[in-house]
Amino acid sequence: MATYKEIKGTQIESLASDPSNPVEGQVWYNSTTSVLKGSVLTTVGAWATGGSMNTGRRQLAGAGVSSSAALGFGGYLAPGASSAPSALCESYNGTSWTEVNDLNTARRGLAGNGTQTSALAYGGNAPPDSAKTNSWNGSSWTEVNDLGTARQQGGGAGADNTSALYSGGFTTPSTYQTVVEKWNGTNWTEVTDINTGRYGVQGFGIVTSALICGGQAGGSNYYKNTELYNGTNWTEVNDIAFERSFGGSAGSDNTSGLIFGGFDASPTDLRTVKVELWNGTNWTEQADLSPPSGFLSMAGAGTATSAIAFGGEGPSNEMRTASEEWTGAGAPITKTFTVS
């Protein structure tokens, strides 16, 4: 039988702690725990329990690039449209949530994008419907130039606090918006409208490659529509499998992303556990969330292979503090090996 050195050209390393970024096929011996470990790629996506937020909220927004680096901000602190909106912001490090500096303006139904150190929060309802934009630099929020159209519950996309896309949404009392605005780090500019006006949409991507899907336009009028943005125009593509609104979302561009939770149209307004993965052409159902959660709004962060769902409203209208971490197929994970 060939030895590890004969196959890989090196001996198994002895390390006091696990490497921070192991590569596929790397094997090492953890001398502190006396365990042989290695890095492999997952074959099936799965959810795992993450740390609990300090304050449960619904209709909050999120930003982040993975399941171990995220922000959650704004939202409602209690069920019912008359409850006060929140300015709270929490940061997640892969283990626990820590309260950091508040938003400049408390609101719910807002959108967000970016990273844990460079994020943007915009829109929402204070009340009234808000055009406010707040920029996050890793330690504090700064109020910057307003949106052109005040609205709530639209879809957000963007890489950091210098670029964002805000699509659709709702303007009180009953206007379902098709308007789209792009942020360049200083100002918002109106660009090409989406094809179908709606709110409670799921959205992800960057300003030149974005996606929105689902949503609703009042009452039980839910949508399956998916639209892709190429930096200039929106194109309707293959629908999501289940009509839903107010779910969470995560994705790096319009070729790869994840949507989860929200409200399912069948039966009407049931909080759902359903998860779907986008590969640039089609949606595929994935492993469910647990338990069901609605009003996640934009409360998701990360990519199709590493994401986190947090907050929202549970089946009994309770404000959830729980978070769930997603590891998608093809993501590297550390495995423990048994030596016989």
Side-chain angles (χ1 to χ4, degrees), residues 174-191:
S174 58
T175 300
Y176 312 123
Q177 294 283 354
T178 58
V179 68
V180 179
E181 297 183 56
K182 182 169 70 173
W183 172 255
N184 66 1
T186 304
N187 297 301
W188 291 96
T189 303
E190 192 167 336
V191 294

Side-chain angles (χ1 to χ4, degrees), residues 280-303:
T281 304
N282 297 303
W283 293 96
T284 306
E285 191 170 356
Q286 303 291 299
D288 290 348
L289 283 169
S290 178
S293 186
F295 282 131
L296 281 165
S297 192
M298 278 298 293
T303 66

Side-chain angles (χ1 to χ4, degrees), residues 19-33:
S20 57
N21 292 296
V23 298
E24 181 189 359
Q26 181 179 353
V27 177
W28 66 94
Y29 177 74
N30 188 312
S31 59
T32 302
T33 59

Side-chain angles (χ1 to χ4, degrees), residues 62-271:
V65 296
S66 72
S67 62
S68 61
L71 283 178
F73 39 89
Y76 268 145
L77 295 174
S82 62
S83 63
S86 172
L88 290 175
C89 179
E90 297 186 41
S91 179
Y92 188 64
N93 64 3
T95 303
S96 60
W97 291 90
T98 302
E99 191 168 332
V100 292
N101 285 321
D102 288 356
L103 289 166
N104 302 98
T105 304
R107 53 206 196 272
R108 53 88 172 175
L110 71 170
N113 68 268
T115 72
Q116 196 176 41
T117 58
S118 177
L120 205 67
Y122 36 94
N125 182 279
D129 294 331
S130 178
K132 296 291 186 186
T133 304
N134 299 152
S135 179
W136 172 257
N137 65 4
S139 60
S140 61
W141 294 94
T142 301
E143 189 166 330
V144 291
N145 288 325
D146 288 355
L147 288 159
T149 301
R151 55 207 150 106
Q152 57 178 302
Q153 302 166 6
D160 56 27
N161 63 13
T162 68
S163 63
L165 200 69
Y166 189 35
S167 308
F170 175 88
T171 302
T172 307
S174 58
T175 300
Y176 312 123
Q177 294 283 354
T178 58
V179 68
V180 179
E181 297 183 56
K182 182 169 70 173
W183 172 255
N184 66 1
T186 304
N187 297 301
W188 291 96
T189 303
E190 192 167 336
V191 294
T192 306
D193 287 358
I194 55 176
N195 294 289
T196 303
R198 46 198 153 140
Y199 65 96
V201 298
Q202 291 76 224
F204 55 78
I206 54 178
V207 297
T208 56
S209 178
L211 178 152
I212 65 165
C213 61
Q216 63 186 100
S220 59
N221 189 14
Y222 287 76
Y223 289 105
K224 288 184 177 181
N225 305 44
T226 300
E227 298 186 41
L228 297 187
Y229 185 66
N230 64 3
T232 305
N233 296 305
W234 292 91
T235 303
E236 191 158 330
V237 292
N238 288 327
D239 292 349
I240 57 177
F242 306 98
E243 295 172 333
R244 76 171 85 196
S245 65
F246 293 104
S249 56
S252 53
D253 59 27
N254 68 16
T255 68
S256 177
L258 196 72
I259 60 171
F260 38 88
F263 287 89
D264 194 336
S266 180
T268 301
D269 290 342
L270 175 70
R271 293 160 184 83

